[in-house]
Amino acid sequence: MALLRRELVVADAGDGGRLVLTRAALVDLLADFLPDPGRRNRLVEQVDGHIAKVVELGFLRRMPGPDGGFEVRRVLKAFVDAQWLGEFDAKLAEYAGQHPAAASGAFSAAFSADIEEDLL
């Protein structure tokens, strides 16, 4: 959901219209954050499960048509706010401190700064 929120910030900085992502775009978005299963098919299955859950929660809406895109619902902004992102960033920093091989905090710091700037 944090990644979807970031995509909303980017879309709002652009044309500010609806944000519709394809299944392939969602797979690419999540690929860096899921364990490497060694097979693309397994990754797609995992992402499909995550997509189904986010649709069930109401933060994504399946678009009709052959492309099968997903609209990111703006209600996500109310649930993933600056406070939530700050807590998320703190957890990422804690994880990175416990696991030196983890990704650097540069992503989370830049991500939090972008979101906080957008919300202010």
Side-chain angles (χ1 to χ4, degrees), residues 90-107:
K91 288 179 184 177
L92 281 178
E94 179 183 335
Y95 177 78
Q98 293 175 358
H99 303 282
S104 71
F107 168 79

Side-chain angles (χ1 to χ4, degrees), residues 14-45:
D15 63 6
R18 287 189 327 175
L19 174 60
V20 178
L21 299 171
T22 64
R23 180 175 171 236
L26 290 170
V27 168
D28 291 341
L29 190 65
L30 290 170
D32 292 336
F33 298 97
L34 294 174
D36 182 20
R39 294 185 331 198
R40 180 87 174 160
N41 291 342
R42 177 72 179 131
L43 174 67
V44 171
E45 289 174 12

Side-chain angles (χ1 to χ4, degrees), residues 2-105:
L3 294 171
L4 291 175
R5 181 65 171 94
R6 175 148 174 70
E7 291 297 313
L8 272 176
V9 169
V10 172
D12 287 346
D15 63 6
R18 287 189 327 175
L19 174 60
V20 178
L21 299 171
T22 64
R23 180 175 171 236
L26 290 170
V27 168
D28 291 341
L29 190 65
L30 290 170
D32 292 336
F33 298 97
L34 294 174
D36 182 20
R39 294 185 331 198
R40 180 87 174 160
N41 291 342
R42 177 72 179 131
L43 174 67
V44 171
E45 289 174 12
Q46 286 179 322
V47 171
D48 283 343
H50 294 303
I51 290 171
K53 185 62 175 178
V54 176
V55 167
E56 181 182 319
L57 292 171
F59 298 117
L60 284 178
R61 182 175 69 90
R62 292 183 194 276
M63 300 297 292
D67 295 338
F70 296 89
E71 178 185 5
V72 179
R73 310 273 317 261
R74 298 222 171 255
V75 70
L76 181 62
K77 285 184 172 184
F79 288 90
V80 180
D81 60 6
Q83 178 183 353
W84 186 92
L85 288 172
E87 293 168 2
F88 181 73
D89 191 38
K91 288 179 184 177
L92 281 178
E94 179 183 335
Y95 177 78
Q98 293 175 358
H99 303 282
S104 71

